[in-house]
Amino acid sequence: MNQEKIKVFWATPDTSLLGNALGYATHNKFMKKFCEKYFEYTQEADIAITITPANFFIPVPGKFNILFTMWETLDIPNEYIIGLDRADLIVVPCRFCKDLFKGITETPVVICNEGIVSESYPFYQRRLPKNEEKFRFLWVGAPNPRKGFPVLLEAIKFFEKYPRVEIYLKTTFQKPDRAEWVKKLWHGRKQMRSTTQGKEDFKNMFSRMKDPRFGLEEKVDISGMHNNVVMDTRRLSFDELIELYNSAHCFVLPHCGEGWGLTLNEAMATGAPCISGEYTACGDFFDNEVGFPIGYELKESKIANYGNMKSRIFVPSVQDTIQQMINVIQNYEYALSKGKKASERVHKRYTWDRAASRLDDIVRKYSPQRVGV
């Protein structure tokens, strides 16, 4: 039976105003699109939905405010907790966030998983590389420690002696002072090739790439003496991103914590064998049945965005990551069978269509008017 659409004020700003939080921007874009079949968007509605980090949350006066947010570590800054307390209902994408938030706020917390656009990420049948082709490990994310960048640096040092293995790093930087920083990048690359400190220079170069002033928008090999590494900083179209996922023989995400794990979800959907941590949000959809989990240690680290507050984070094992990469190469048919199961799981359970239906159920159940009940 068709239910009447619920009137909702979608209070989340345009995605361009969400800064560099690609996960939030993507979440907002697709959740709003797929909820169109359930919600009538109007500023006059009594219910407001905001998708944002909790420290940026500003409730809409006079409305029932639903905050869709997430977190990645075991300790939460005070300004984040203040944002959580401002909401009438908190929606999170995973069990990890629900358990974490329930211990610090009296606001009700419910789960609504995120997902993929199912038809845009069809299963892709991979094979072992032939002749001179390289076995490609793909990593996609922001160049920061939380996304596992330091772990990839260690893997690069290990696999440099295997020229048939390629590590492909896909990220995107902001654009200010582009010409200046491209010049510095290539100067640094030239220096790397002429020094006996090549490995340390390479590591330092990647460290400098964390600086947001880098404005590269082209595919650049900054490997220097590491010729089996590619750093791709282009702004890809949706189709180009799918093509990149399909080009990978294996996807690697040795993260320190995820609020959801969008890129892992996408890679799994295409059937890529995946190596990642099954802690924090990723444990909702990633495990040994569909991928190659890696171990971790809990360590205390500073969160730069919150006044260097210390928090316990999940630090992925470098040794486990490298060993699982070797396992995938040596047992590729087995790895492909896991990739097939991963694709089936994501397409069955974790799509934006299912997420929108779940959010509709949540709004009907928790809104003051108990819509449709």
Side-chain angles (χ1 to χ4, degrees):
M1 183 178 76
N2 293 330
Q3 298 186 85
E4 181 181 352
K5 284 189 175 184
I6 304 174
K7 291 183 178 180
V8 167
F9 174 44
W10 200 271
T12 311
D14 181 83
T15 55
S16 63
L17 300 179
L18 292 177
N20 293 319
L22 179 62
Y24 277 103
T26 303
H27 181 184
N28 179 59
K29 174 184 176 180
F30 287 110
M31 185 64 86
K32 183 177 182 181
K33 176 182 177 181
F34 279 84
C35 280
E36 287 178 350
K37 69 170 71 174
Y38 304 107
F39 300 155
E40 176 187 337
Y41 299 129
T42 171
Q43 194 167 346
E44 308 306 317
D46 294 326
I47 302 166
I49 297 177
T50 305
I51 300 175
T52 187
N55 57 309
F56 294 148
F57 174 57
I58 301 175
V60 182
K63 299 186 187 297
F64 182 83
N65 283 275
I66 299 174
L67 169 63
F68 207 137
T69 193
M70 61 200 77
W71 188 251
E72 302 90 6
T73 72
L74 287 171
D75 301 286
I76 305 176
N78 286 334
E79 53 262 54
Y80 218 87
I81 298 173
I82 291 171
L84 295 175
D85 287 339
R86 289 178 178 146
D88 297 301
L89 177 68
I90 299 167
V91 182
V92 296
C94 63
R95 293 190 303 270
F96 170 78
C97 287
K98 180 178 180 179
D99 293 342
L100 188 66
F101 291 170
K102 282 181 68 176
I104 61 171
T105 182
E106 295 183 0
T107 306
V109 184
V110 295
I111 297 174
C112 177
N113 296 139
E114 297 185 42
I116 59 159
V117 182
S118 189
E119 60 270 21
S120 297
Y121 293 88
F123 174 77
Y124 179 78
Q125 182 61 57
R126 291 158 173 81
R127 58 170 177 75
L128 271 172
K130 295 180 179 179
N131 301 323
E132 299 304 312
E133 294 177 346
K134 293 183 178 182
F135 190 101
R136 174 177 287 180
F137 288 102
L138 173 66
W139 170 88
V140 178
N144 60 50
R146 185 171 69 80
K147 294 293 185 178
F149 210 62
V151 178
L152 267 297
L153 293 177
E154 297 301 317
I156 285 167
K157 290 193 290 187
F158 178 85
F159 284 104
E160 66 181 351
K161 57 183 175 288
Y162 299 102
R164 294 287 301 280
V165 174
E166 177 182 83
I167 297 179
Y168 197 107
L169 307 170
K170 175 69 191 82
T171 192
T172 305
F173 298 95
Q174 297 175 355
K175 297 192 289 187
D177 303 322
R178 179 178 183 277
E180 175 188 351
W181 286 94
V182 168
K183 182 178 179 181
K184 289 185 177 182
L185 172 67
W186 287 103
H187 177 67
R189 184 181 183 210
K190 183 178 180 181
Q191 287 181 326
M192 281 194 293
R193 288 181 165 176
S194 62
T195 178
T196 56
Q197 297 293 320
K199 290 184 179 179
E200 191 61 30
D201 288 342
F202 178 71
K203 184 175 181 179
N204 290 339
M205 176 61 71
F206 270 89
S207 178
R208 293 207 301 277
M209 290 295 287
K210 299 174 188 175
D211 193 310
R213 290 174 293 178
F214 275 98
L216 304 176
E217 290 186 306
E218 56 207 62
K219 179 179 173 182
V220 180
D221 177 4
I222 63 167
S223 59
M225 60 185 295
H226 301 258
N227 293 318
N228 56 343
V229 179
V230 174
M231 168 71 85
D232 185 346
T233 61
R234 297 171 296 167
R235 294 185 182 275
L236 301 181
S237 68
F238 193 80
D239 290 341
E240 288 171 331
L241 180 60
I242 302 299
E243 185 177 346
L244 180 59
Y245 278 124
N246 290 344
S247 75
H249 297 92
C250 179
F251 183 80
V252 188
L253 185 68
H255 62 88
C256 295
E258 288 284 357
W260 175 243
L262 178 65
T263 58
L264 178 60
N265 220 213
E266 291 171 343
M268 290 171 62
T270 71
C274 292
I275 298 168
S276 185
E278 58 179 329
Y279 38 87
T280 62
C282 295
D284 277 31
F285 59 86
F286 179 79
D287 53 38
N288 187 60
E289 182 180 350
V290 296
F292 296 84
I294 54 178
Y296 67 89
E297 289 183 72
L298 277 178
K299 293 185 178 180
E300 196 170 68
S301 181
K302 293 180 179 179
I303 308 176
N305 292 347
Y306 294 93
N308 288 325
M309 166 195 158
K310 289 185 178 181
S311 177
R312 291 164 295 163
I313 64 172
F314 299 80
V315 179
S317 166
V318 172
Q319 182 177 354
D320 270 11
T321 302
I322 293 173
Q323 185 58 58
Q324 292 291 36
M325 293 168 78
I326 294 171
N327 288 344
V328 169
I329 294 173
Q330 293 180 339
N331 304 281
Y332 198 56
E333 290 301 319
Y334 175 60
L336 287 177
S337 69
K338 288 197 175 191
K340 177 68 171 176
K341 291 179 181 178
S343 179
E344 292 170 351
R345 176 182 290 184
V346 171
H347 282 278
K348 182 178 180 180
R349 303 182 194 173
Y350 304 103
T351 66
W352 286 116
D353 194 50
R354 286 180 61 87
S357 176
R358 168 64 177 157
L359 188 58
D360 175 57
D361 290 341
I362 289 171
V363 173
R364 291 180 186 277
K365 178 177 179 180
Y366 286 91
S367 65
Q369 297 87 352
R370 300 278 294 175
V371 184
V373 177

